């Protein structure tokens, strides 16, 4: 009797050891006593809408009549045993059983993970012909599964999921002195796949680098993006990973400015072009094959697998096509990657963008009657004395923008002459700040002001809607103002009696002076005779 008891204890110990060995990623909880041969797996930690498939790779020998396991407790299923024998012969016995080599004490976590990665690859590339025993969508329960060991594969999510192993097996309840079916719960391991874009992140001027910043035509803007690196299984057949950037028409990539780093706990390592990555202008994702990018970095996954993130740093220049106001000059980054490690046609993309705003001035040249005037000329400076006026390029009648190096420049700004532009001056591509508008030539017949007009452009919300002074925001991105001219040398008169008396007195005095002059001339003439 003692011998039989010891045999059962050894069998129980072996069963528990094998349970630990196969269920390397799972946690189990007791359920009701075994009454039938099916069970369920509760799955958590996955995204909504993804498909979780359970593939049965191990059979369990259990005698339901006697309510006890039968040695060998675990055997490889018919569908996988040949593959295991050909590739991992030490894991399978002559009777197709799971050997003691495949135990917690014999294999470390990396070795077990490597085995399940390889097994998943064989299933997905049809080296092993095996149909899923059950599925669920998102977090949920896979039900009506026969007792056994299962490999769970997850597809179609934004995250990259690694294969997970879990078991539906009997466990012995020492208190009740009976075998009970376990109800396993699995929290799936996955890699988050995010990308984050920043603009001028090193400038401490109060802007939110995750969202937007401002600038003027000709300014250099710095961009940083950081993207998560997925943890693909070692035997994955689909490990495509690329980062693309699309600059709007108002931004030009600065030549030679791209720097790429691998990031881990030890810091950043500069990666070598043509070794760790190559540069293209097309996204590898077939769904976006027709889209042209400012640049696309196609990575060699094995060269970056040791890093947790990729950091890309580069510059762009705000050019003459810059959009003024809320339309913004957008910089969009896109992370393309295979979300199913065993299907090269599986692609997901994660975008992020930031905005760069520019502003402008809309000036009306008018008289006191609010009539538009032509012929006025101005300069615009950032100095209060009007010195060093800004260089601009004429784009239309009465319209100018900041000039880029090498363009035909002018400092003289002429108000519009014809049509809708008559008497108007539009200046585009400015940043926030204080500007001084100096009128250098007045319209014909009008006085030229002897002081400059001070104009302040502010955008505290960085949304492309500037304010100036105490005015409300200008929704189109242009600060608007009128510059008024007065006319000629007309002096003000009141028409009062005092003025009339002074005028009459003046005339009388002038008359007396003339009379005195005549008399003196005559006397002088008589004397000369």
């Amino acid at each position: 009797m003692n011998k039989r008891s010891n045999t059962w204890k050894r069998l129980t110990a072996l069963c528990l050891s094998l349970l630990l060995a196969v269920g390397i990623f799972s946690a189990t909880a007791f359920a009701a006593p075994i009454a039938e041969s099916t069970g369920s797996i509760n799955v958590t930690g996955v995204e909504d809408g993804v498909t979780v498939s359970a593939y049965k790779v191990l059979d369990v020998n259990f005698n339901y009549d006697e309510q006890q396991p039968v040695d060998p407790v675990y055997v490889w299923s018919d569908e996988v045993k040949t593959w295991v024998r050909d590739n991992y012969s030490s894991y399978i016995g002559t009777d197709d059983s799971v050997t003691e080599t495949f135990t917690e004490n014999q294999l470390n976590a990396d070795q077990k993970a490597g085995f399940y990665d390889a097994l998943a690859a064989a299933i997905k590339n049809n080296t092993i012909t095996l149909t899923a025993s059950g599925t669920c969508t998102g977090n949920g329960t896979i039900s009506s599964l026969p007792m056994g060991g299962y490999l769970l594969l997850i597809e179609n999510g934004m995250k990259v999921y690694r294969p997970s192993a879990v078991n539906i097996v009997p466990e012995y309840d020492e208190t009740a002195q009976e075998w009970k079916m376990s109800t396993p719960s699995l929290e799936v391991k996955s890699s988050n796949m995010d990308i984050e874009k920043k603009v001028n992140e090193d400038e401490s001027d109060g802007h939110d680098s995750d969202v937007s910043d401002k600038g003027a035509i000709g300014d250099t803007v710095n961009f940083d993006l950081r993207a998560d690196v997925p943890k693909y299984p070692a035997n994955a057949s689909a490990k495509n990973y690329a980062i693309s950037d699309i600059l709007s028409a108002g931004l030009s990539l600065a030549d030679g400015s791209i720097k790429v780093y691998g990031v881990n706990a030890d810091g950043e390592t500069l990666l070598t072009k043509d070794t760790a990555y190559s540069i293209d202008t097309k996204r590898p994702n077939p769904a976006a094959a027709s889209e042209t990018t400012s640049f696309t970095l196609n990575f060699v996954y094995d060269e970056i697998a040791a890093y947790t993130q990729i950091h890309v740093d580069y510059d762009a220049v705000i050019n003459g096509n810059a959009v003024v106001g809320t339309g913004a000059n957008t910089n969009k980054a896109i992370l393309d990657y295979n979300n199913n490690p065993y299907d090269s046609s599986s692609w997901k993309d994660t975008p992020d963008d930031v905005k760069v705003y520019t502003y402008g001035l809309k000036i009306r040249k008018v008289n006191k009657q609010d009539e538009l005037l032509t012929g006025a000329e101005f300069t615009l400076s950032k100095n209060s004395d009007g010195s060093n006026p800004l260089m601009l390029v004429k784009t239309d009648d009465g319209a100018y923008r900041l000039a880029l190096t090498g363009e035909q420049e002018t400092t003289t700004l002429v108000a519009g002459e014809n049509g809708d532009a008559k008497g108007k001056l539009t200046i585009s591509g400015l940043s926030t700040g204080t500007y001084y508008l100096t009128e250098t030539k007045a319209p014909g017949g009008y006085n030229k002001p002897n002081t400059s007009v001070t104009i302040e452009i502010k955008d505290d919300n960085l949304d492309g809607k500037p304010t100036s002074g105490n005015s409300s925001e200008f929704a189109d991105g242009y600060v608007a103002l009128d510059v008024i001219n007065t006319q000629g040398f007309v002096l003000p008169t009141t028409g009062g009696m005092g003025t009339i008396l002074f005028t009459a007195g003046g005339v009388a005095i002038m008359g007396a002076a003339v009379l005195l002059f005549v008399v003196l001339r005559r006397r002088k003439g008589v004397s000369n005779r």
Side-chain angles (χ1 to χ4, degrees):
M1 184 68 178
N2 289 337
K3 183 176 180 180
R4 183 176 181 182
S5 176
N6 290 335
T7 299
W8 277 112
K9 287 181 179 179
R10 286 196 298 271
L11 181 58
T12 300
L14 176 61
C15 182
L16 292 174
S17 176
L18 289 171
L19 290 175
L20 290 172
V22 180
I24 61 173
F25 302 112
S26 64
T28 58
F30 289 126
I34 296 173
E36 55 186 23
S37 60
T38 62
S40 301
I41 301 173
N42 297 319
V43 180
T44 60
V46 299
E47 306 159 86
D48 293 339
V50 302
T51 301
V52 184
S53 301
Y55 295 88
K56 188 168 179 284
V57 296
L58 290 172
D59 294 326
V60 176
N61 286 324
F62 190 86
N63 188 316
Y64 287 95
D65 293 332
E66 298 181 3
Q67 288 289 290
Q68 59 189 23
V70 178
D71 194 25
V73 178
Y74 280 107
V75 294
W76 295 103
S77 68
D78 290 340
E79 293 85 355
V80 305
K81 63 185 181 183
T82 300
W83 179 87
V84 175
R85 183 168 282 110
D86 291 343
N87 295 277
Y88 295 88
S89 58
S90 62
Y91 297 172
I92 186 169
T94 56
D95 55 356
D96 300 333
S97 62
V98 177
T99 64
E100 290 187 10
T101 303
F102 197 76
T103 66
E104 193 73 21
N105 296 328
Q106 296 292 323
L107 299 179
N108 60 38
D110 288 340
Q111 288 173 315
K112 291 172 186 173
F115 169 78
Y116 283 118
D117 288 345
L119 180 57
I123 293 171
K124 296 306 294 183
N125 64 26
N126 294 319
T127 300
I128 296 174
T129 303
L130 184 61
T131 303
S133 300
T135 63
C136 71
T137 302
N139 293 326
T141 300
I142 306 175
S143 304
S144 302
L145 296 174
M147 189 185 301
Y150 289 86
L151 184 67
L152 269 61
L153 302 181
I154 303 171
E155 303 174 85
N156 302 323
M158 295 300 293
K159 298 180 179 180
V160 176
Y161 296 92
R162 295 199 67 175
S164 301
V166 66
N167 308 300
I168 299 176
V169 294
E171 294 182 343
Y172 191 69
D173 185 343
E174 292 284 357
T175 302
Q177 294 290 298
E178 63 183 8
W179 291 91
K180 294 182 178 181
M181 181 71 81
S182 63
T183 304
S185 294
L186 175 69
E187 184 174 358
V188 177
K189 307 295 183 182
S190 63
S191 298
N192 288 321
M193 297 302 297
D194 291 328
I195 188 169
E196 182 181 37
K197 184 92 173 180
K198 291 181 179 288
V199 53
N200 291 332
E201 68 175 1
D202 293 330
E203 295 184 7
S204 55
D205 57 1
H207 77 283
D208 186 348
S209 62
D210 289 328
V211 180
S212 61
D213 202 2
K214 75 282 185 185
I217 289 176
D219 285 352
T220 296
V221 183
N222 178 250
F223 295 102
D224 290 271
L225 63 87
R226 293 172 178 84
D228 293 329
V229 176
K231 295 302 178 187
Y232 288 122
N235 292 278
S237 57
K239 298 183 285 188
N240 292 301
Y241 178 87
I243 296 173
S244 298
D245 193 86
I246 301 175
L247 295 162
S248 63
L251 297 168
S252 299
L253 180 66
D255 292 341
S257 67
I258 299 174
K259 297 182 287 292
V260 185
Y261 304 89
V263 183
N264 56 24
D266 296 326
E268 295 192 344
T269 301
L270 183 65
L271 301 180
T272 304
K273 179 178 174 290
D274 297 327
T275 299
Y277 65 93
S278 60
I279 300 181
D280 198 355
T281 55
K282 292 289 185 181
R283 291 171 58 189
N285 188 338
S290 62
E291 186 173 26
T292 299
T293 65
S294 300
F295 65 84
T296 292
L297 307 177
N298 291 301
F299 288 87
V300 179
Y301 179 76
D302 291 343
E303 294 290 329
I304 63 170
Y307 300 108
T308 58
Q309 282 190 323
I310 294 297
H311 173 202
V312 184
D313 178 293
Y314 57 100
D315 296 329
V317 177
I318 303 175
N319 63 43
N321 296 315
V323 175
V324 171
T326 57
N329 303 281
T330 302
N331 185 0
K332 180 181 180 181
I334 306 168
L335 173 61
D336 286 304
Y337 60 96
N338 289 135
N339 65 318
N340 184 340
Y342 308 105
D343 182 0
S344 59
S345 67
S346 68
W347 285 92
K348 289 292 183 181
D349 60 72
T350 301
D352 193 22
D353 64 54
V354 291
K355 295 176 172 60
V356 178
Y357 293 105
T358 65
Y359 312 90
L361 302 175
K362 285 186 175 179
I363 300 159
R364 295 196 323 144
K365 167 53 66 174
V366 295
N367 59 20
K368 286 189 173 182
Q369 289 72 45
D370 199 41
E371 297 170 331
L372 291 166
L373 306 176
T374 61
E377 296 181 2
F378 301 87
T379 62
L380 185 68
S381 173
K382 300 198 78 172
N383 300 319
S384 59
D385 61 359
S387 61
N388 297 319
L390 298 175
M391 296 292 184
L392 296 106
V393 173
K394 185 174 182 178
T395 59
D396 206 343
D397 184 19
Y400 298 81
R401 64 163 173 80
L402 283 182
L404 294 166
T405 302
E407 292 186 316
Q408 187 172 354
E409 305 165 334
T410 182
T411 59
T412 301
L413 312 177
V414 181
E417 299 285 341
N418 303 297
D420 291 339
K422 179 181 177 181
K424 299 175 183 177
L425 178 64
T426 301
I427 305 171
S428 303
L430 304 176
S431 185
T432 56
T434 302
Y435 297 87
Y436 300 90
L437 182 71
T438 302
E439 188 169 337
T440 58
K441 179 182 177 182
Y446 287 85
N447 301 325
K448 181 171 72 70
N450 58 7
T451 59
S452 298
V453 178
T454 301
I455 307 167
E456 185 179 17
I457 301 176
K458 298 188 298 182
D459 187 5
D460 294 337
N461 296 324
L462 271 180
D463 57 4
K465 300 176 183 179
T467 60
S468 182
N470 296 320
S471 65
S472 58
E473 64 183 18
F474 298 92
D476 64 353
Y478 288 90
V479 171
L481 69 152
D482 290 348
V483 177
I484 302 173
N485 284 95
T486 56
Q487 195 171 29
F489 294 92
V490 177
L491 298 176
T493 61
T494 63
M497 183 59 70
T499 302
I500 296 174
L501 290 175
F502 276 115
T503 302
V507 171
I509 292 171
M510 289 296 294
V514 171
L515 179 61
L516 179 61
F517 176 77
V518 172
V519 170
L520 290 175
R521 289 280 293 178
R522 286 179 177 177
R523 286 181 179 179
K524 185 177 180 181
V526 171
S527 174
N528 289 335
R529 290 177 187 172

